[in-house]
Each structure stands twice: as structure tokens, then as C-alpha cells.
Amino acid sequence: MDHSGHGMTMDLPPFTLGRGLEFSGEPFFLIGCVLALLLYGSAVVRLRRRGDAWPVGRTVSWVIGVLTVALVMCTRLNDYGMVMFSVHMVQHMVISMVSPVLLLLGAPVTLTLRALPSAGRGRTGPRELLVALLHSRLLRTVSHPVFTIPLFIASLYALYFTPIFDFLMGSTVGHIAMMVHFLAVGLVFFWPIMGVDPGPHRPGYVMRMLELFAGMPFHAFFGIALMMASEPMVMSYADPPVSLGLDALADQNAAGGIAWAFSEVPSVIVLVALLFQWHRSEEREARRSDRAADRDGDQELVAYNAYLASLEARSH
């Protein structure tokens, strides 16, 4: 498949939503999405056969998350994204900011830990290796806000405003690697914020919200920079195919608008999820306090009855 940029061309008809959603079957992401659904489904089935429950909402979230990846990478959106900056920006925003949130709400690490069998005392199996990874120094580093927030920001500015982007867009392999990078960065950034799966960093809910909003303004500034530019800033999209009938600067401005608008989408989703988790946590804490109070009350009642019994015994 030929792509625009670095002397390669792709002739596509003018973009419409119908054309964009046609199945293209990009093999790398297609295989990855199918495997993600099969592995998650098999783990859920394993729990069910064992008599353990798994929340339906988590399964639904995982499936929708995988389907959002397939939507932007396994349809003709992927082809148009190679020659239209605006379509590429939709791909980037979905795969880095929407898909990761939905996938993380599926709690894949928790599911894996529950589905994998223990290797037994003194032995090491897949489950033990995963637990060791979760407690490793590497994961403590890559999940720390000091690492995740700059990485999240650098994935925009250091990529689009340097020759790295044009280099990656020059080949199918480079483009796939870039999209995998976007997905990975989104997962790393949102993982400690979501707090659904176990991990080395679990800050309080207020701190998670601060981490979330620390990165979002930079997305908005990035979008505004593209919208305000008076000339194409990314050479891969500076000369779109004639068949598209597209103005490069207008398409870049549209891409900036998409980046700016999408900075709000994950914020709302994650904020709602955090508030829901916070509410659930407060309810659990209240129930624990009530149970503890009931136990203390029962013990006091028993002690009081024993005291009355002792007084009665003395009177006789």
C-alpha cells in the first residue's frame, strides 16, 4: 500500500464517513484486537467455570475499548489517516485517550491475576512473574507521575513538531509503531489515575484528579497551535493527493480543532469513573465502620450483662 509523504502517493476519493468506516483489515491491529478479545473472554470463562463472578460492566468496557482500536485502525480510516491530517488526529485521539480509558476500566490485570493458577510454594509461574512485575522498580518508575505526565506531553510536541513524525509516516511499519506508541502512552498515563487494577502507585482520589488535569491543558495548547498556524507544520500532510480536493492548511486547522476538543472527552469519562469509585469507596468504608461499631456495641452489651449477672450473684 502506497502512502503520501517522502515521494509516495495514495489515490483516495474524497473522504466521507461511509467510506472511512469500510473494513480494511490492517493485519497487525486486526490480529491484536482478536487476540485481546479471545484472551479476555477465555479468562472470564475460566472464572465462571470455577464459580467466581466477574462484573459484566468490566467485560463490556473491555470489548468497547478493543472495538474503538479496531474502528480507527482496521477500517479505511487508517488509509485516509495516512493522507489527511484531520483523520489521523481522530485516530491519535481515540487510540491514546479513549481506548486506554475503556480498556483500563475492564481491569485486565485483576482478571489475569484471578484467572492464572498459582504455581505453588517455592515455584514460579506466569502469575508469580506478573506479581513480581507489578512490584518491580521498572513499573514503579514508568507509572510515576514524574514520568507519565512528561511522556504524555512529549508524545505530542516532540513527535509532531520534529522530523520524527515524518520519518515514521514514511512507511507502514513506522506508522504502526507510532500508533502502538500512542496506545501504550495512553495506558501508562491513565493506569495509575484510574486505579482499577493493582499497581505500585495508588494516590488518593484528589491527587488522581490533579494528575489527570495536569496533562490536559497541553493537549488543548497543541490543538490551538495547529489551528492558529498560517502554514502547514507537518510535512507529511503538506501536499495531499489531488483526488481528495483538500486544502492542506484547512485540514491542519481541522486537526487542531479535533485535538483541542478531544482533550475534554477523556477528562469527563475519567472524572465520572473516579467520582463513582470514590463514592463506592466511601460506602465500603461506612459499612466497615458500621460493622465495627456493631461489634463494639455487642461486646459492650455482653460486658454489661456480665456485670449485672455478677451483681445479682453477689446479692444472693
Side-chain angles (χ1 to χ4, degrees):
M1 181 168 58
D2 292 332
H3 302 294
S4 71
H6 305 290
M8 293 183 286
T9 60
M10 171 185 282
D11 289 324
L12 288 168
F15 177 79
T16 64
L17 185 60
R19 290 193 183 104
L21 296 181
E22 292 174 357
F23 178 71
S24 69
E26 195 287 317
F28 180 86
F29 276 95
L30 179 61
I31 294 171
C33 288
V34 171
L35 284 176
L37 292 175
L38 290 177
L39 290 173
Y40 193 97
S42 64
V44 172
V45 170
R46 183 183 181 91
L47 288 187
R48 300 272 184 189
R49 287 178 176 172
R50 202 168 63 197
D52 294 337
W54 183 253
V56 175
R58 289 184 177 178
T59 303
V60 171
S61 179
W62 177 264
V63 171
I64 295 176
V66 173
L67 290 179
T68 59
V69 175
L71 176 69
V72 297
M73 294 307 303
C74 300
T75 64
R76 296 280 282 178
L77 284 175
N78 191 43
D79 295 334
Y80 280 99
M82 294 297 296
V83 293
M84 293 179 64
F85 200 4
S86 56
V87 177
H88 166 83
M89 194 56 66
V90 170
Q91 289 181 281
H92 178 175
M93 294 298 106
V94 170
I95 206 170
S96 69
M97 302 181 74
V98 177
S99 303
V101 171
L102 292 169
L103 293 173
L104 290 169
L105 286 174
V109 176
T110 302
L111 177 62
T112 303
L113 288 172
R114 290 184 58 185
L116 287 174
S118 175
R121 181 176 297 179
R123 304 175 71 179
T124 302
R127 189 178 189 280
E128 287 71 25
L129 290 174
L130 178 57
V131 171
L133 177 63
L134 291 172
H135 291 88
S136 67
R137 180 177 297 179
L138 172 65
L139 217 57
R140 284 200 300 272
T141 301
V142 301
S143 63
H144 196 280
V146 174
F147 180 85
T148 60
I149 295 174
L151 177 66
F152 190 67
I153 297 168
S155 290
L156 290 173
Y157 296 90
L159 184 63
Y160 284 95
F161 298 155
T162 69
I164 297 175
F165 183 84
D166 291 326
F167 171 75
L168 293 174
M169 288 294 290
S171 67
T172 302
V173 173
H175 181 242
I176 291 173
M178 178 167 52
M179 289 300 174
V180 171
H181 167 78
F182 289 151
L183 179 60
V185 168
L187 289 169
V188 168
F189 177 75
F190 287 110
W191 180 36
I193 294 174
M194 299 303 297
V196 177
D197 277 325
H201 292 288
R202 282 297 173 266
Y205 289 99
V206 174
M207 186 58 65
R208 291 187 206 176
M209 293 178 189
L210 291 176
E211 289 180 25
L212 170 66
F213 290 112
M216 291 306 126
F218 293 94
H219 253 273
F221 296 151
F222 170 75
I224 292 171
L226 292 177
M227 293 169 67
M228 300 285 289
S230 58
E231 60 183 18
M233 300 178 68
V234 179
M235 291 302 101
S236 292
Y237 298 107
D239 187 23
V242 177
S243 61
L244 291 174
L246 194 66
D247 179 73
L249 186 57
D251 188 51
Q252 177 177 282
N253 292 341
I258 290 167
W260 175 76
F262 256 93
S263 65
E264 305 298 327
V265 175
S267 301
V268 173
I269 297 174
V270 174
L271 190 59
V272 169
L274 285 177
L275 290 173
F276 179 73
Q277 291 177 32
W278 197 352
H279 176 68
R280 292 276 301 273
S281 175
E282 291 293 324
E283 284 188 335
R284 286 195 297 268
E285 185 61 35
R287 285 197 295 268
R288 279 196 293 267
S289 298
D290 289 344
R291 285 196 296 267
D294 290 342
R295 284 195 300 269
D296 293 341
D298 291 342
Q299 290 172 358
E300 290 175 2
L301 181 60
V302 169
Y304 182 66
N305 288 336
Y307 171 69
L308 292 178
S310 66
L311 290 179
E312 185 177 356
R314 288 177 195 168
S315 65
H316 294 293

